[in-house]
Every structure is written in structure tokens, then in C-alpha cells.
Amino acid sequence: MLKTAWGLPRQSDKHISVIRKIVKVTTFLSVKGGVGKTTLTVNTANELAERVGGSEKVLVIDLDAQAGTTVYVLGHKQQEDLEKKGRTAYELLRSTLKVKVGEAPDPEEFIVDAEEDWSSRLYLLPGDSRIMAIEREAVAEAAAGGFGWIVLLRRLLPKLRDSGYSYVFIDPPAAFGALARMALAAADYFVIPIVPDDFGRVSFRMFVSDFFNETAWQVKQSGRDELPLCGGVVFNKIKTSGKGIPVQERIADSIAEEVSRNKLYGRYLIPVYKSRLHDYIAYVRSLESTSR
């Protein structure tokens, strides 16, 4: 397993660093929608939930204003009901903003079961259409030179540990905004799904040139020395029929070669999954027809 070597944690971050060895956090990142980020997040979390034992639980945090993860797991109606009741990621982060640093509200008041279609060990912190308000507050604080916003999710890790969550998956918006950076600051690992096309190539270059370096600097400014590592680049939504198949495979090969020439933070290799996921429309159709 790859390990970081960024030195000992600062005194203010020591407690959270210990917690991080117990709660493993993974976020799936992308710069555009339609790459299968939500589908990968939910199904990876559910597969892990089927395999864990004892009292371990798996949590998915939906940070997207479109609440795609929540709709996928619970359906449109229940997502709307939970938003009205205030049991969402937005309300939890909003509550976290109001308490002192070192404290955090009880996440269990906002977390819900994934219900019968999913593993009994899978839980969800639902998405909320109002969550961009948190991003606006973060942007305002950053403009004033502050970085407290970036640790909002990380402040919740001790409480999540105490509630029995051993693994946390985060589905942030498909952008380089504050919520995605917040997710990365809380993560041990991040995974980058890429559709092998021209924009997929550009998106990886954007990660290398902007996101990795700038976010790494912001995370270190917030007091965390151990930076998140890349769990891998996965090629997704490759066409299963038509003339575009050979072209996509060649583009995937080309992007994989480019990935191999780059190092995360200038020092760590970036893995590329050998398995390539193919494009199916069943999820899209089921999402569009959901009425639960």
C-alpha cells in the first residue's frame, strides 16, 4: 500500500489523524458530469458493505446539489421528504459551522438507512439542493484568507468513528469547487473516473496542473500534513457497440500512458485500473423512471 511521508501531524490535528487510521475515507472526483461518478460511488460502497463484518458500517455522503446519490439509493420522493425534514448533508455541515472548532454535532441525527434494496450495512447522508450555500460561504472565507471551511467534513470523523462507520465514501459535485476540495481534505484516497474521449484527456491534465497542487496547498494550510493519495484512475462508460469502440480503447491507452508519466505531488505514482467499465443505460433509465 502506498504511504505518505509528509511528517508528523501538528498538535491541533493529532486527534483527527488518529481517527483517520480507523475511519477510511474515499472520494470519487471528476470535473464534469456524466462520467459515472455517482454510480461508481454507490455500488463500490454497497459492495464493500456486503463484505464487512462485525459491527462495521459503510457510509455514503452526498455533497451534490443534484442529490444524484440519494435519488439513486432512495428515490426522488424520499430525497425531497428528507430535505424538508432537514436530514441532509447541508443541514449537518450548516450545524457544524455553528459550533466551536474541536466540536461537532451528532451525524446520526442526519444519517439514514439505505433500506431494503441495498446492503443492511450501507447508510447515507442525503444530498440537498441547498448545499451550494455552504460552497458560497467557503468561497467568501477563502477570499478573506481563511481555510477553516476545508476541514468541515474532517471534523465529523471522530463522531462517525464512534457511531461505528469504518468506511466513508463521498460523492462531491463534478467540479473543482469548495465542496470537492472539502471532500478531498477529509479523504485518505480519491478515485478519478474518466470517460476515454478528448475531454477525458483534458480533465486529467486539469487535475495535474491545478487541482492536485492547489488543493494540496490548501489542505496543508488547514493543518493536515498527510495528504490524500490517488486510489486510481478508472476508465468508465466505454461503448459496448458501434464504430467508436476501437477509438475509445486507443484514447484510454493514450491517457493511461500520460498518467504513468505523472506523479501525484511530484512523488507518488498514480495507479490506473486495468479493468475498464462499459457503458450501460440501465441506471439512467431507472433514475428517470424512479417514483418511490
Side-chain angles (χ1 to χ4, degrees), residues 8-14 17 147 150-151 154 217-226:
L8 294 173
R10 298 178 187 177
Q11 187 66 31
S12 62
D13 208 32
K14 187 178 294 184
S17 294
F147 292 95
I150 205 168
V151 299
R154 201 164 84 220
W217 179 79
Q218 291 175 335
V219 171
K220 288 176 71 67
Q221 288 294 113
S222 73
R224 174 183 169 188
D225 289 318
E226 292 185 352

Coordinates of all heavy atoms in Angstrom, one line a residue, residues 8-14 17 147 150-151 154 217-226:
L8 N 5.1 14.3 10.9 CA 4.2 14.1 11.9 C 3.0 15.1 11.9 O 3.2 16.3 11.5 CB 4.9 14.2 13.3 CG 5.9 13.1 13.6 CD1 6.7 13.4 14.8 CD2 5.3 11.8 13.6
P9 N 1.8 14.8 12.4 CA 0.7 15.7 12.4 C 1.0 16.8 13.4 O 1.6 16.6 14.4 CB -0.5 14.9 12.8 CG 0.1 13.7 13.6 CD 1.4 13.5 12.9
R10 N 0.4 18.0 13.1 CA 0.5 19.1 14.0 C -0.3 18.8 15.2 O -1.2 18.0 15.2 CB 0.0 20.4 13.4 CG 0.9 20.8 12.2 CD 0.4 22.0 11.5 NE 1.1 22.3 10.3 CZ 0.7 23.3 9.5 NH1 -0.3 24.1 9.8 NH2 1.4 23.5 8.4
Q11 N 0.0 19.5 16.4 CA -0.7 19.2 17.6 C -2.2 19.3 17.4 O -3.0 18.6 17.9 CB -0.2 20.1 18.7 CG -0.8 19.8 20.1 CD -0.3 18.4 20.6 OE1 0.8 18.0 20.3 NE2 -1.1 17.7 21.4
S12 N -2.7 20.4 16.7 CA -4.1 20.7 16.5 C -4.8 19.6 15.7 O -6.0 19.5 15.8 CB -4.3 22.0 15.8 OG -3.7 22.0 14.6
D13 N -4.1 18.8 14.9 CA -4.7 17.8 14.0 C -4.4 16.4 14.5 O -4.8 15.5 13.8 CB -4.1 18.0 12.6 CG -5.1 17.6 11.6 OD1 -6.3 17.7 11.8 OD2 -4.7 17.1 10.5
K14 N -3.7 16.2 15.6 CA -3.3 14.9 16.0 C -4.5 14.0 16.3 O -4.4 12.8 15.9 CB -2.4 15.0 17.3 CG -1.8 13.7 17.7 CD -0.9 13.8 18.9 CE 0.3 14.7 18.6 NZ 1.2 14.8 19.8
S17 N -5.9 12.8 13.1 CA -5.0 11.9 12.4 C -5.1 10.5 13.0 O -5.1 9.5 12.2 CB -3.6 12.4 12.5 OG -3.4 13.6 11.9
F147 N -9.1 29.3 5.9 CA -9.2 27.9 5.4 C -9.9 27.0 6.3 O -9.9 25.8 6.2 CB -7.8 27.3 5.1 CG -7.0 28.0 4.0 CD1 -6.2 29.1 4.3 CD2 -7.3 27.7 2.7 CE1 -5.5 29.7 3.3 CE2 -6.6 28.3 1.7 CZ -5.7 29.3 2.0
I150 N -12.4 24.2 4.9 CA -11.9 23.0 4.2 C -11.9 21.8 5.1 O -11.9 20.6 4.7 CB -10.5 23.2 3.6 CG1 -10.3 22.2 2.4 CG2 -9.4 23.0 4.6 CD1 -9.1 22.5 1.5
V151 N -12.0 22.0 6.4 CA -11.9 20.9 7.4 C -13.3 20.5 7.9 O -13.4 19.7 8.9 CB -11.0 21.2 8.6 CG1 -9.6 21.4 8.1 CG2 -11.5 22.4 9.4
R154 N -13.9 16.9 7.8 CA -12.9 16.2 8.6 C -13.2 16.2 10.1 O -12.9 15.3 10.8 CB -11.5 16.8 8.3 CG -10.4 15.8 8.7 CD -9.1 16.2 8.1 NE -8.4 17.2 8.8 CZ -7.8 18.3 8.3 NH1 -7.8 18.5 7.0 NH2 -7.2 19.2 9.1
W217 N -2.0 22.4 -1.3 CA -1.5 23.5 -0.5 C -2.6 24.0 0.5 O -2.3 24.3 1.6 CB -1.2 24.7 -1.5 CG -0.7 25.9 -0.8 CD1 0.5 26.2 -0.3 CD2 -1.5 27.1 -0.5 NE1 0.5 27.4 0.3 CE2 -0.7 28.0 0.2 CE3 -2.8 27.4 -0.8 CZ2 -1.1 29.2 0.6 CZ3 -3.3 28.7 -0.4 CH2 -2.5 29.6 0.3
Q218 N -3.9 24.0 0.0 CA -5.0 24.4 0.9 C -5.1 23.4 2.1 O -5.3 23.8 3.2 CB -6.3 24.5 0.1 CG -6.3 25.7 -0.8 CD -7.6 25.7 -1.7 OE1 -8.2 24.6 -1.9 NE2 -8.0 26.8 -2.1
V219 N -5.0 22.1 1.8 CA -5.1 21.1 2.8 C -4.0 21.3 3.9 O -4.2 21.2 5.1 CB -5.1 19.7 2.2 CG1 -5.0 18.6 3.3 CG2 -6.3 19.4 1.4
K220 N -2.8 21.5 3.4 CA -1.7 21.7 4.3 C -1.8 23.0 5.2 O -1.5 23.0 6.3 CB -0.3 21.7 3.6 CG 0.1 20.3 3.0 CD 1.3 20.4 2.2 CE 2.5 20.7 3.0 NZ 2.8 19.5 3.9
Q221 N -2.4 24.0 4.6 CA -2.7 25.2 5.3 C -3.7 25.0 6.4 O -3.7 25.7 7.4 CB -3.2 26.3 4.3 CG -2.1 26.9 3.4 CD -1.1 27.6 4.1 OE1 0.1 27.2 4.2 NE2 -1.4 28.8 4.7
S222 N -4.6 24.1 6.2 CA -5.6 23.8 7.2 C -5.1 23.0 8.4 O -5.8 22.8 9.4 CB -6.8 23.0 6.6 OG -6.4 21.7 6.4
G223 N -3.8 22.6 8.3 CA -3.2 21.9 9.5 C -3.0 20.4 9.3 O -2.6 19.7 10.2
R224 N -3.4 19.9 8.2 CA -3.2 18.4 7.9 C -1.9 18.2 7.1 O -1.8 18.8 6.0 CB -4.4 17.9 7.2 CG -4.2 16.4 6.8 CD -5.4 15.9 6.0 NE -5.1 14.6 5.4 CZ -5.9 14.0 4.5 NH1 -7.0 14.5 4.2 NH2 -5.5 12.8 4.0
D225 N -1.0 17.4 7.6 CA 0.2 17.1 6.8 C 0.2 15.9 5.9 O 0.9 15.9 4.9 CB 1.4 16.9 7.8 CG 1.7 18.3 8.5 OD1 1.8 19.3 7.8 OD2 2.0 18.3 9.7
E226 N -0.7 14.9 6.3 CA -0.8 13.7 5.5 C -1.8 14.0 4.3 O -3.0 14.1 4.6 CB -1.2 12.5 6.3 CG -0.2 12.1 7.3 CD -0.6 10.8 8.0 OE1 -1.8 10.4 7.8 OE2 0.2 10.2 8.7

